[in-house]
Amino acid sequence: ALDRLAQFFIAPLFNADCVDRELKAVDSEYKGNLQSDSRRIYQLVARTSNPAHPFSWFPTGNTGTLKGAAEELGLDLREELITFYHKYYSADIMRLVVVGNHSLDMLSEWVTSKFSDVKSKGNTKPMFNFHPIGKAELGKVIHYKTVREKYELKLQFSLPELKSTYGEKPFAYINALLGHKEPGSIYSVLRKNGWATAISAYSSGMYYDGFGTYDISVAATPEGLENYEAIVSIIFGYINMLVESGPQEWYYQELALVSKAEFDFKEKEDAETYARTLSSRGHNQYVPPHQILSHNHLSSGYDADLISKCLSYLNPGNYRLFIGAQEHKAAECKLEEKYYGVLYHIADLPSHMTSDVKCSPSVAKMLHLPSRNAYLPKSLSVTKPVTPVEKPAMEPVLLRKNDKFEVWFKQDDQFFTPHGHIGLTISSEYVNNSPLNHLLSTLLCKIVSSELQEQLFGALRANSNFYLTLREGSINVDVSGFSSGLPILLKTILQKIKTFKVDTQQFSIYRDEIERMVQSQRLDNPISLIYRQLDAVNMVPAFDLDMLEKVLKDITLDGLQKHIELLFSKAYVKMLVSGNYNQSVALKASNQVLDILQLQPVSRSSINARRILAIEPGYYVQNVPISDQKCLNSAVICTFYCGSVYDTRDKVALQVLKYLVHRAYFAQLRTSEQLAYKVGAILDSYKEGRDMLLFALEGESNPIYVTQRINEFLRQYRQKLQELTADEFESSIQSLISLKQEKLKSIDDEFSRLWTHIKSDKYKFDALDKDVEHLKRLSKDDLLAFWDKYVNEDTAKGYTRLDLQMWSTKIWQPTPKEFEVYPGTVIALYGSLRSEGHTGLSIADVQSFVSSADASSSIELLLAELSALYVSKQTPSVPNETAEALDTTVVNVEAPGIVFESSSKVATALQMAISSVNESPKFATLGKTNFANIDMKQLPEGIWLINDYKRFQHTQALHGISVSSRKLVPLIAE
């Protein structure tokens, strides 16, 4: 692997076909992000910077800026790539990090032998001695239109390069103060006024060479946007207060203490991420090699003068202001950014916003420094097991279980750091049993989290984290960080939830945010939309966007307050305490939970758990139009329902199959055919039901054409499985075993694994060991048998498949009648013709041509015949009366000839259509239900077209709820 990586830099091939393929991938990625607000504002920031500086350039690239620009200049793109490589790729500007479990001597030997041939050409990095945000760019206000309904403010300041300050970390101090959320903060004042829901402050000074920027971003409310000048004045009011108060060493030392503790007890992380992070940090030329690992955490000392100097850059004469919203009253956005089409308006900031900006005296009194942090770790000691352990325990201990509460505990016996992780899941009859209650639960989590951000921000400063979310039909509370403070943190959160009284202003703000959230989800990328639809079809209850939008009007303050009271009247709570604790601490924490929530006994059957459809054998498809009229991409997911989630043998066979098929699927549909940038074979499952093998793709191609190409891939892949060598099969098995036996890296990793098993209701803590046992016994014949049982359309007696297709409005989509009449291969061919601009044939013409074509003819001859048909249809007869009126004898208009390339999608689609002419409707007899009785249509292949998935759900049985794999006996009888 190292040798391959090294050769990328020593002797890259730059094969012409690879250049073309990657060009399409770059263009596909670019088009997939055209509706991304984050990409759009990034490019607008660049566009409005100094055009002479590379910071202002378009960093993503597309076909026009690469191939198109090269052609305009009379250049060969591949040759330009090679020239670029020879000019800039120098060992002097590269940083290599290799992370491995081999000895340092071995790693060093490998690096020396593999990478020594990377050429040194000196420092080839271009340097610019001017700032991209200079006087000409500062003092501007830029209004821009967003895709989603949101309200954004960004103050961007111009800074010098700050890499040399890595040790003193002045901006870590400034970031913490400007972004904190405790009383007296910018956030606190804005929130009380109902003007903002979030704020962030960060410096980019460590990333850029020769310059830096500092951004203060505010997620505003509509009222906040109208009062943007007041928001800016509050921000500068707080900065002025910091300047007047002077640097506070005690606050700096609090931050340094926490950061040092993080480093001293840093747990392992993903090796790839760690290597990438260190490699990036290595580009700071001021950091000596011995500090590469630590410099991001450890401070070299407090420097008040440096902090004051850095604060001086944050002044009203040294910033520009970005204001984002879908619509603007204060400006008419007529300018258009070149690459993403962002509409914007740029003007000078008024003079009162560029000099001596002050907030009102009453607001100034509200702004003050945070108090000393009461959440700093009280103890960093480590609690070790009473008796030494030879091997870490794989299971937690069930401390207590009754008809309202179960508590699990896992003491850290392998990492020995002062960290902890506590999770709660609150399942209630009222959490998620209707679209309205789903939104009310979501709203509760948002409002309470907002208040807790202000109340508990000191805990966040002390490296604790908390999350309050609605997930999997339950309310989840999660706290993690240094262990000593987590029990009190959890207590505070639960007290807030249980006794929460809804504030009218905050209700209004977050109710509106929920409405914007629901409506803006229609603008998600197609692959996200299609996964949401997959859940909606498979789960009961599950609520699609139409259902949620219908009940938005029913969200009221009184309704939310009653919802809070009802939540705990019928609730069952699970709890896991893990990490640096002993059993008595875990029991004490659980007693706190019981005291606060005052749970009543409840029957688990009374809690409306999500149920999963037991879809009967058959092939089903649902077509869904994409609401976003500007979205270029469509998406497809083909889902194969395989073995039961309880069947370990089938599960591991599926895992091996996915491991093998993903690479081939990616290579064929993305690399070879270039159908999309986002391509993947994925495993998925719910708590109950059947494991699923999914083939997903998002791109500009017609979804029917994509589905046909997936079908063709699957037909051919069985032969590839058959041809798999013993060594290849065994290598795949060993790779999966290695992944399953990989050591946990942290207390958080262990918590996640255990918590997954607890929330599943199966409690299969030994699942990985069982998987390995079955993997060792798995044979290639088992894999082929699995394929034939579940995936092979010709042999699977219980073949169960669901295709979801998301259609962009930018491409032709068949009518329901056309779906019903014409085979998918004909629709794919017709769609391919239209996508290449050939609209002169009707779909009936295409069907007639395919039906009468000679299947034994070569593809070249068939394409020529199709071209002749196309030309004949483009030779319209001019009516005689028209000819007479024109005083001409010309009655026919000759159309120019057209040539279909044998490598085009049209050629591929034609081959598929011709080869399937005589196929019988093989899927017609799979199931027993006649879905025509609920107005579903059966397509020519025997596929059922779902037009109302809710009606379809009512025809299907449901899988039973999860059953524990063991008898649960608590340690403490109650």
Side-chain angles (χ1 to χ4, degrees):
L2 281 176
D3 188 47
R4 286 188 177 188
L5 179 65
Q7 291 304 313
F8 291 160
F9 305 101
I10 296 168
L13 298 176
F14 290 114
N15 289 337
D17 60 335
C18 293
V19 172
D20 289 339
R21 286 201 300 264
E22 289 310 307
L23 176 63
K24 291 178 181 177
V26 167
D27 194 62
S28 180
E29 181 183 12
Y30 156 70
K31 288 177 177 176
N33 288 317
L34 284 173
Q35 294 294 90
S36 166
D37 276 318
S38 61
R39 291 292 186 108
R40 291 162 69 88
I41 180 58
Y42 182 92
Q43 184 57 33
L44 183 61
V45 168
R47 171 68 181 84
T48 51
S49 301
N50 188 332
H53 197 286
F55 182 77
S56 70
W57 297 350
F58 174 45
T60 301
N62 60 27
T63 300
T65 62
L66 295 168
K67 185 177 181 179
E71 289 175 350
E72 286 180 11
L73 296 170
L75 301 172
D76 181 88
L77 181 59
R78 178 175 178 272
E79 292 302 321
E80 291 303 302
L81 278 172
I82 294 171
T83 299
F84 185 90
Y85 161 76
H86 284 301
K87 183 176 181 179
Y88 292 112
Y89 274 57
S90 171
D92 303 81
I93 61 170
M94 297 181 186
R95 299 295 181 267
L96 173 67
V97 173
V98 177
V99 177
N101 58 0
H102 303 276
S103 69
L104 286 176
D105 287 343
M106 178 62 74
L107 292 175
S108 299
E109 181 181 331
W110 284 347
V111 168
T112 302
S113 64
K114 305 300 183 186
F115 289 88
S116 291
D117 287 338
V118 177
K119 293 181 180 180
S120 171
K121 304 170 188 175
N123 188 345
T124 58
K125 186 190 302 182
M127 298 299 292
F128 297 81
N129 59 2
F130 60 96
H131 205 293
I133 307 172
K135 289 183 178 180
E137 291 74 40
L138 293 168
K140 304 293 184 183
V141 55
I142 298 109
H143 291 80
Y144 64 94
K145 288 193 174 186
T146 60
V147 173
R148 298 171 186 260
E149 186 179 358
K150 60 196 327 187
Y151 309 91
E152 304 171 325
L153 296 179
K154 181 202 289 280
L155 285 74
Q156 185 172 63
F157 297 85
S158 176
L159 300 180
E161 180 184 294
L162 296 168
K163 288 186 174 182
S164 62
T165 67
Y166 77 92
E168 298 84 359
K169 297 178 174 48
F171 273 103
Y173 171 91
I174 295 170
N175 295 349
L177 286 169
L178 293 181
H180 88 93
K181 296 178 174 64
E182 295 168 81
S185 65
I186 298 170
Y187 170 81
S188 178
V189 173
L190 296 181
R191 185 175 179 276
K192 286 175 182 174
N193 283 325
W195 290 351
T197 58
I199 186 171
S200 62
Y202 53 92
S203 163
S204 63
M206 293 297 165
Y207 301 102
Y208 299 133
D209 286 322
F211 73 98
T213 61
Y214 192 84
D215 293 352
I216 301 174
S217 298
V218 177
T221 63
E223 186 179 353
L225 198 75
E226 292 180 2
N227 290 276
Y228 74 85
E229 290 192 8
I231 291 178
V232 172
S233 72
I234 291 170
I235 290 172
F236 280 114
Y238 195 87
I239 292 172
N240 291 337
M241 182 273 295
L242 293 181
V243 172
E244 292 172 1
S245 301
Q248 306 292 308
E249 185 172 6
W250 66 268
Y251 188 77
Y252 182 94
Q253 296 300 348
E254 279 191 354
L255 298 175
L257 173 68
V258 172
S259 191
K260 184 178 185 304
E262 288 177 1
F263 180 75
D264 288 344
F265 298 101
K266 181 176 173 56
E267 294 175 300
K268 291 182 179 180
E269 58 185 286
D270 175 71
E272 181 183 348
T273 303
Y274 191 48
R276 189 164 54 244
T277 300
L278 292 179
S279 177
S280 175
R281 291 178 188 168
H283 281 278
N284 186 340
Q285 68 271 27
Y286 297 99
V287 179
H290 70 276
Q291 291 183 0
I292 288 292
L293 300 182
S294 64
H295 81 274
N296 203 49
H297 300 274
L298 303 184
S299 166
S300 63
Y302 173 69
D303 189 329
D305 292 338
L306 182 58
I307 291 173
S308 295
K309 181 180 180 181
C310 290
L311 268 174
S312 71
Y313 295 122
L314 310 185
N315 66 75
N318 189 42
Y319 82 107
R320 55 181 180 166
L321 178 64
F322 291 87
I323 304 174
Q326 280 187 330
E327 299 295 335
H328 294 271
K329 297 178 181 178
E332 192 172 357
C333 298
K334 290 185 175 181
L335 297 174
E336 184 173 350
E337 188 277 323
K338 181 177 181 181
Y339 299 106
Y340 288 87
V342 185
L343 296 176
Y344 68 101
H345 175 273
I346 186 167
D348 291 333
L349 280 164
S351 58
H352 64 275
M353 295 186 71
T354 58
S355 62
D356 197 27
V357 181
K358 293 181 179 179
C359 56
S360 66
S362 60
V363 172
K365 290 180 181 179
M366 300 170 65
L367 300 171
H368 57 79
L369 291 163
S371 56
R372 294 181 183 270
N373 195 349
Y375 288 92
L376 291 175
K378 300 294 189 296
S379 170
L380 293 174
S381 61
V382 174
T383 301
K384 294 189 177 182
V386 177
T387 57
V389 295
E390 294 183 5
K391 182 181 178 182
M394 296 299 293
E395 300 184 9
V397 176
L398 179 59
L399 293 182
R400 60 199 312 175
K401 185 181 187 331
N402 52 39
D403 50 9
K404 56 188 174 183
F405 192 37
E406 67 184 72
V407 183
W408 296 83
F409 168 63
K410 174 60 172 67
Q411 183 175 2
D412 173 30
D413 54 5
Q414 58 182 312
F415 305 107
F416 305 117
T417 66
H419 295 116
H421 202 142
I422 304 175
L424 261 81
T425 180
I426 303 169
S427 301
S428 167
E429 178 180 349
Y430 303 101
V431 170
N432 197 58
N433 62 338
S434 70
L436 179 59
N437 281 350
H438 173 88
L439 291 179
L440 288 173
S441 297
T442 303
L443 180 58
L444 171 65
C445 291
K446 280 188 170 292
I447 296 180
V448 173
S449 293
S450 173
E451 291 215 359
L452 288 171
Q453 285 277 326
E454 189 170 345
Q455 182 179 348
L456 298 175
F457 197 77
L460 300 181
R461 283 201 284 129
N463 197 38
S464 294
N465 295 292
F466 68 84
Y467 300 97
L468 176 62
T469 57
L470 176 65
R471 190 169 59 248
E472 298 175 355
S474 300
I475 290 178
N476 292 262
V477 183
D478 190 282
V479 295
S480 61
F482 290 120
S483 56
S484 61
L486 297 188
I488 186 66
L489 181 60
L490 178 64
K491 177 181 178 181
T492 305
I493 294 170
L494 294 179
Q495 286 175 333
K496 174 67 74 173
I497 299 172
K498 189 67 167 61
T499 62
F500 188 65
K501 300 300 179 185
V502 183
D503 174 81
T504 303
Q505 182 191 58
Q506 294 303 305
F507 168 81
S508 177
I509 289 171
Y510 284 96
R511 185 230 169 268
D512 290 347
E513 186 172 295
I514 289 289
E515 182 171 347
R516 292 195 297 273
M517 177 195 74
V518 171
Q519 293 172 345
S520 70
Q521 283 177 348
R522 294 192 183 278
L523 301 175
D524 285 352
N525 59 54
I527 205 71
S528 297
L529 291 171
I530 209 168
Y531 276 118
R532 187 178 295 121
Q533 185 62 24
L534 184 67
D535 285 344
V537 173
N538 279 289
M539 293 195 299
V540 179
F543 314 117
D544 60 30
L545 295 178
D546 289 337
M547 299 170 71
L548 296 177
E549 282 187 343
K550 286 179 182 177
V551 300
L552 284 169
K553 64 182 185 304
D554 300 324
I555 299 175
T556 64
L557 189 148
D558 289 342
L560 177 59
Q561 196 65 63
K562 290 176 182 177
H563 182 69
I564 297 170
E565 295 166 4
L566 284 171
L567 278 178
F568 299 100
S569 63
K570 289 185 178 181
Y572 187 83
V573 174
K574 291 184 177 184
M575 181 178 184
L576 171 62
V577 181
S578 71
N580 185 39
Y581 301 107
N582 57 35
Q583 185 174 299
S584 64
V585 174
L587 284 170
K588 183 178 179 181
S590 69
N591 288 332
Q592 284 185 344
V593 173
L594 284 174
D595 292 342
I596 295 167
L597 298 184
Q598 294 294 304
L599 299 169
Q600 301 300 314
V602 62
S603 169
R604 293 295 303 276
S605 62
S606 69
I607 296 175
N608 293 330
R610 282 183 167 177
R611 303 285 294 280
I612 306 303
L613 251 62
I615 298 177
E616 69 174 88
Y619 186 170
Y620 310 91
V621 63
Q622 184 189 17
N623 297 299
V624 183
I626 294 173
S627 301
D628 182 3
Q629 300 294 306
K630 295 183 179 181
C631 181
L632 298 177
N633 283 352
S634 298
V636 171
I637 285 185
C638 301
T639 302
F640 294 82
Y641 295 85
C642 302
S644 166
V645 294
Y646 297 98
D647 189 328
T648 303
R649 180 182 175 84
D650 268 2
K651 181 179 73 171
V652 298
L654 180 57
Q655 289 171 349
V656 176
L657 185 60
K658 182 266 176 184
Y659 179 85
L660 291 166
V661 77
H662 170 75
R663 288 179 290 178
Y665 177 66
F666 186 91
Q668 181 62 37
L669 273 73
R670 184 192 185 278
T671 305
S672 179
E673 298 190 30
Q674 288 289 301
L675 290 185
Y677 179 71
K678 297 178 182 177
V679 175
I682 304 154
L683 295 185
D684 201 359
S685 64
Y686 300 102
K687 286 169 61 175
E688 305 87 24
R690 300 166 69 177
D691 286 317
M692 299 178 291
L693 176 62
L694 287 71
F695 294 90
L697 186 149
E698 179 193 314
E700 292 184 86
S701 297
N702 180 307
I704 294 291
Y705 177 85
V706 167
T707 302
Q708 296 300 324
R709 295 310 299 153
I710 292 173
N711 291 342
E712 190 66 22
F713 167 80
L714 295 174
R715 292 187 190 105
Q716 296 176 5
Y717 188 71
R718 192 196 187 282
Q719 184 62 32
K720 293 183 182 294
L721 281 179
Q722 183 71 52
E723 296 169 354
L724 201 67
T725 67
D727 286 345
E728 289 170 334
F729 177 77
E730 185 60 28
S731 175
S732 301
I733 295 292
Q734 290 304 318
S735 293
L736 277 174
I737 289 175
S738 295
L739 285 172
K740 291 178 180 294
Q741 293 181 334
E742 184 177 354
K743 290 183 178 180
L744 295 166
K745 296 180 175 62
S746 66
I747 287 172
D748 286 343
D749 276 358
E750 184 175 49
F751 172 88
S752 296
R753 180 179 292 181
L754 299 176
W755 196 219
T756 297
H757 293 306
I758 292 169
K759 291 197 298 181
S760 75
D761 295 323
K762 299 185 187 75
Y763 308 99
K764 296 179 70 172
F765 302 110
D766 61 348
L768 290 177
D769 289 340
K770 296 294 184 184
D771 288 354
V772 170
E773 290 176 13
H774 280 82
L775 279 169
K776 290 178 178 177
R777 297 197 296 266
L778 194 73
S779 69
K780 191 176 83 169
D781 287 342
D782 294 330
L783 207 59
L784 288 165
F786 182 94
W787 181 271
D788 289 340
K789 184 178 180 180
Y790 296 114
V791 185
N792 189 338
E793 62 187 35
D794 295 321
T795 59
K797 295 179 180 179
Y799 189 82
T800 310
R801 173 175 172 176
L802 170 65
D803 290 357
L804 297 180
Q805 299 171 352
M806 286 276 176
W807 290 76
S808 167
T809 59
K810 299 295 185 182
I811 62 173
W812 168 79
Q813 180 178 355
T815 65
K817 186 65 176 177
E818 288 168 334
F819 271 117
E820 186 180 353
V821 171
Y822 299 107
T825 51
V826 170
I827 293 174
L829 174 55
Y830 183 66
S832 298
L833 285 165
R834 292 184 66 97
S835 69
E836 295 187 10
H838 308 308
T839 59
L841 297 177
S842 69
I843 192 170
D845 292 332
V846 174
Q847 167 71 8
S848 177
F849 175 82
V850 169
S851 299
S852 61
D854 183 355
S856 64
S857 298
S858 68
I859 186 61
E860 289 77 14
L861 179 57
L862 290 169
L863 287 171
E865 291 173 352
L866 181 61
S867 176
L869 173 64
Y870 188 90
V871 170
S872 71
K873 293 292 183 178
Q874 308 310 300
T875 311
S877 295
V878 180
N880 288 333
E881 60 271 21
T882 305
E884 292 172 2
L886 294 172
D887 192 23
T888 177
T889 58
V890 178
V891 293
N892 288 306
V893 180
E894 291 296 329
I898 184 170
V899 176
F900 296 115
E901 298 290 339
S902 59
S903 60
S904 67
K905 287 182 182 177
V906 170
T908 302
L910 179 58
Q911 284 180 311
M912 292 191 297
I914 296 296
S915 64
S916 65
V917 167
N918 296 318
E919 284 188 356
S920 61
K922 65 175 69 176
F923 307 110
T925 59
L926 283 172
K928 298 179 180 179
T929 304
N930 183 4
F931 294 103
N933 296 328
I934 58 169
D935 298 326
M936 284 171 57
K937 304 298 182 183
Q938 196 161 35
L939 309 186
E941 300 88 345
I943 301 169
W944 284 107
L945 180 63
I946 300 173
N947 53 11
D948 183 341
Y949 78 89
K950 285 296 180 183
R951 293 186 71 185
F952 172 71
Q953 285 180 331
H954 290 315
T955 69
Q956 301 297 295
L958 297 174
H959 286 287
I961 61 174
S962 295
V963 177
S964 174
S965 63
R966 62 180 69 195
K967 184 176 181 180
L968 301 180
V969 180
L971 188 67
I972 300 171
E974 298 189 40

